[in-house]
């Protein structure tokens, strides 16, 4: 079944990509809907396993990169404004089409698919935004007079110390790391200013900025955490520096303010795009097997019982059709002589769903315990066939044991007391 499902999903991705290549973008909606609505219940439940989610995540990553390469491989490509609008509209529709097709599916599947398509949409929108600004900035670079005035004004602002206010907002100790980082941002800007008038090729400017990012952010980063710290620091100071230049341009009534404004926006967005893309690629590498930890606490987004899920146009399992069966709540009450402390008489248990441990393959049942006496709650993933020791907020303890029994039912044994769910 797994091999068959993998082949089907691969073909589904290939069909979408082929339609994008053929510029038949509206047909993609039918492909999305027909694939997801045709899945049977056992197939859908197989897709909720974290390892299977991770496998299809790899397919999604390749699919979305393929779509990007077809629609807008390089934002420096010379394409029409109308084409960029159609790409942005498609990315927005694609996400809506997928969400509509996944309506009613288990939360784990929806979360997995939503995360990848959101990254895809954001990245494609960043590219279209950059493409729009690049088209306008090219016109500036081809005008020798405007470039000459811009370069002269920038030199005047920097050399006359108009940017002293930016230095006051940063640590003044020249030996500190922060001062070195300030120097790095100024070095980036100076290298870009030096290119003005020497080339009309926008890619040369952006390659220069990319090279500086490699030197000051990417290469010094020895870990993901260090990269995040360096990237955030660089972007904050870079944004502050460019904003300070814009303020100086305004106060000095420089003629090149309009040209600088376009350059300013492009430089800001390009740095954001590079750093964000790197973060997204890092998350793709780190996500494996942890999807079940992403389940939200918002009960409206979580299926009460994943085992009772059924795709559209199919009938729910027979055991949940009877109104006499309540699979959601169990109240644990003290009765008679037992080791059960009196303090647990107000404990309420709710079944949230069923999971499978990706490492061991063991079945887990996810439950929510609410202690009405202390108004506290705790969510647990309990292994079937094993005991779990629970300590309440007031320090009292009890043991929950879940057993797998025939007829697709689950029993919970609470200190020797059996509660059917």
């Amino acid at each position: 079944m797994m091999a068959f499902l993998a082949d089907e999903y691969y073909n589904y991705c290939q069909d979408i990509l082929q339609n994008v290549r053929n510029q038949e973008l509206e047909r993609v909606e039918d492909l999305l809907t027909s694939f997801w609505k045709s899945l049977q219940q056992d197939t859908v439940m197989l897709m909720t396993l974290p390892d299977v989610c991770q496998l299809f995540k790899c397919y999604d990553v390749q699919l979305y990169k393929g779509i990007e390469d077809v629609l807008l491989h390089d934002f420096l490509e010379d394409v029409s404004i109308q084409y960029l609008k159609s790409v942005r509209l498609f990315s927005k529709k694609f996400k809506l089409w997928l969400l509509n097709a996944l309506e009613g599916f288990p939360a784990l599947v929806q979360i997995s698919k939503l995360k990848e398509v959101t990254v895809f949409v954001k990245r494609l929108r960043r590219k279209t935004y950059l493409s729009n600004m690049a088209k306008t900035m090219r016109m500036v670079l081809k005008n020798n007079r405007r470039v000459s005035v811009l370069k002269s004004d920038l030199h005047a602002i920097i050399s006359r110390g108009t940017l002293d206010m930016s230095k006051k907002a940063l640590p003044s100790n020249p030996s500190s790391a922060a001062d070195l980082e300030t120097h790095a941002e100024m070095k980036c800007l100076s290298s870009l200013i030096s290119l003005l008038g020497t080339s009309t090729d926008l890619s040369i400017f952006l390659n220069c900025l990319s090279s500086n990012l490699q030197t000051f952010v990417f290469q010094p980063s020895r870990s993901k955490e260090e990269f995040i710290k360096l990237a955030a620091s660089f972007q904050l100071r870079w944004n502050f520096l460019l904003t300070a230049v814009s303020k100086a341009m305004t106060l000095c009534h420089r003629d090149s303010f309009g040209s600088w404004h376009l350059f300013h926006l492009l430089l800001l967005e390009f740095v954001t795009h590079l750093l964000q893309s790197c973060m997204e690629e890092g998350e793709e590498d780190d996500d494996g097997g942890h999807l079940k930890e992403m389940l939200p606490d918002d009960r409206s987004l979580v299926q009460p019982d994943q085992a009772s899920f059924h795709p559209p146009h199919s009938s729910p399992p027979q055991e949940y059709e009877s109104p006499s069966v309540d699979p959601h709540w169990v109240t644990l009450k003290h009765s008679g002589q037992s080791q059960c402390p009196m303090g647990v008489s107000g404990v309420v248990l709710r079944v949230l769903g069923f999971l499978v441990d990706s490492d061991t393959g063991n079945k887990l049942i996810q439950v929510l315990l609410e202690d009405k006496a202390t108004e506290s709650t705790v969510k647990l993933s309990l292994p079937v066939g094993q005991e779990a020791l629970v300590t309440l907020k007031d320090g009292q303890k009890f043991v929950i044991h879940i057993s797998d029994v025939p007829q697709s039912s689950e029993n919970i044994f609470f200190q020797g007391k059996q509660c059917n769910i």
Side-chain angles (χ1 to χ4, degrees):
M1 182 185 292
M2 186 61 230
F4 175 77
L5 180 58
D7 287 341
E8 288 293 305
Y9 199 83
Y10 174 81
N11 293 332
Y12 150 78
C13 293
Q14 288 293 331
D15 289 342
I16 291 176
L17 191 55
Q18 187 58 47
N19 276 269
V20 173
R21 290 194 186 102
N22 297 338
Q23 294 297 312
E24 298 175 337
L25 302 182
E26 294 300 324
R27 288 194 58 190
V28 173
E29 180 180 12
D30 294 334
L31 292 173
L32 289 168
T33 303
S34 61
F35 174 80
W36 289 104
K37 297 301 183 183
S38 66
L39 296 177
Q40 300 298 314
Q41 179 180 354
D42 54 351
T43 304
V44 174
M45 296 314 299
L46 180 63
M47 297 180 73
T48 63
L49 302 181
D51 286 346
V52 179
C53 281
Q54 178 63 19
L55 172 64
F56 292 147
K57 175 184 182 296
C58 296
Y59 282 115
D60 289 339
V61 169
Q62 295 304 315
L63 170 63
Y64 295 144
K65 286 182 178 178
I67 294 176
E68 282 183 51
D69 287 342
V70 172
L71 294 180
L72 195 61
H73 174 68
D74 185 353
F75 65 84
L76 291 178
E77 294 177 20
D78 190 11
V79 296
S80 67
I81 296 295
Q82 188 60 39
Y83 178 76
L84 292 176
K85 288 181 179 180
S86 67
V87 171
R88 288 178 66 88
L89 181 60
F90 170 73
S91 67
K92 181 179 180 179
K93 286 184 176 181
F94 188 96
K95 184 175 180 178
L96 292 175
W97 293 337
L98 182 58
L99 291 178
N100 289 336
L102 292 173
E103 186 176 356
F105 277 67
L108 193 60
V109 175
Q110 293 190 44
I111 292 171
S112 173
K113 299 304 171 189
L114 177 61
K115 181 177 181 181
E116 295 309 316
V117 76
T118 299
V119 170
F120 161 66
V121 169
K122 287 182 177 179
R123 191 162 53 229
L124 200 55
R125 287 181 178 177
R126 291 199 304 265
K127 283 188 174 182
T128 57
Y129 184 45
L130 281 167
S131 183
N132 262 316
M133 288 188 292
K135 289 175 71 67
T136 309
M137 193 60 203
R138 281 195 197 95
M139 293 188 289
V140 174
L141 293 177
K142 291 178 180 179
N143 188 317
N144 293 331
R145 188 191 68 81
R146 295 179 68 179
V147 171
S148 178
V149 173
L150 174 60
K151 189 172 185 176
S152 176
D153 286 347
L154 289 172
H155 275 307
I157 287 174
I158 295 174
S159 62
R160 294 176 185 176
T162 313
L163 298 179
D164 283 346
M165 60 178 183
S166 66
K167 296 177 182 178
K168 292 177 182 178
L170 300 170
S172 57
N173 181 6
S175 63
S176 68
D179 188 70
L180 293 175
E181 290 173 357
T182 306
H183 175 70
E185 281 80 58
M186 183 59 74
K187 186 175 181 180
C188 288
L189 181 59
S190 298
S191 62
L192 292 170
I193 294 175
S194 66
L195 290 174
L196 289 171
T198 64
S199 175
T200 60
D201 188 352
L202 185 57
S203 65
I204 293 179
F205 290 84
L206 299 183
N207 286 337
C208 174
L209 181 53
S210 178
S211 178
N212 279 305
L213 279 176
Q214 285 289 338
T215 302
F216 298 121
V217 179
F218 290 94
Q219 292 178 2
S221 302
R222 301 176 183 177
S223 64
K224 178 181 177 181
E225 292 72 20
E226 190 173 1
F227 171 77
I228 294 174
K229 183 178 179 180
L230 287 175
S233 177
F234 180 91
Q235 190 170 21
L236 175 64
R237 300 178 190 283
W238 178 245
N239 293 0
F240 188 87
L241 175 61
L242 298 187
T243 301
V245 173
S246 294
K247 289 181 179 178
M249 283 276 193
T250 304
L251 293 174
C252 298
H253 303 287
R254 296 292 177 179
D255 294 335
S256 62
F257 176 79
S259 301
W260 166 252
H261 181 66
L262 294 172
F263 202 26
H264 177 187
L265 292 178
L266 178 62
L267 297 179
L268 284 180
E269 190 66 21
F270 181 68
V271 169
T272 299
H273 175 65
L274 286 185
L275 297 179
Q276 188 64 37
S277 296
C278 183
M279 285 295 299
E280 290 165 355
E281 291 176 2
E283 290 175 358
E284 289 172 2
D285 296 334
D286 296 340
D287 274 349
H290 299 295
L291 287 172
K292 62 184 178 183
E293 298 176 2
M294 297 164 52
L295 283 171
D297 291 329
D298 185 353
R299 296 176 185 175
S300 66
L301 298 179
V302 181
Q303 299 294 330
D305 185 349
Q306 291 187 12
S308 65
F309 164 79
H310 55 93
H313 312 303
S314 66
S315 300
Q318 184 67 33
E319 59 265 31
Y320 294 114
E321 290 183 353
S322 171
S324 63
V325 178
D326 181 4
H328 303 302
W329 292 95
V330 172
T331 302
L332 306 178
K333 297 182 179 180
H334 171 71
S335 60
Q337 298 294 325
S338 73
Q339 299 175 356
C340 176
M342 292 296 294
V344 300
S345 60
V347 175
V348 177
L349 180 147
R350 183 188 184 191
V351 179
L352 297 179
F354 299 91
L355 303 173
V356 175
D357 191 315
S358 60
D359 296 325
T360 64
N362 296 331
K363 292 193 297 182
L364 303 172
I365 182 171
Q366 195 173 51
V367 299
L368 182 72
L369 290 174
E370 178 183 355
D371 184 5
K372 292 185 176 181
T374 60
E375 297 183 349
S376 60
T377 59
V378 61
K379 186 165 65 173
L380 305 171
S381 294
L382 306 175
V384 175
Q386 300 181 32
E387 292 184 345
L389 177 64
V390 179
T391 302
L392 296 180
K393 198 171 184 180
D394 58 8
Q396 298 185 83
K397 301 180 179 180
F398 60 88
V399 174
I400 292 180
H401 179 87
I402 299 177
S403 65
D404 195 1
V405 297
Q407 287 82 43
S408 301
S409 62
E410 300 286 344
N411 286 347
I412 286 186
F413 293 90
F414 175 78
Q415 287 283 40
K417 304 295 183 181
Q418 179 174 329
C419 304
N420 293 323
I421 300 177

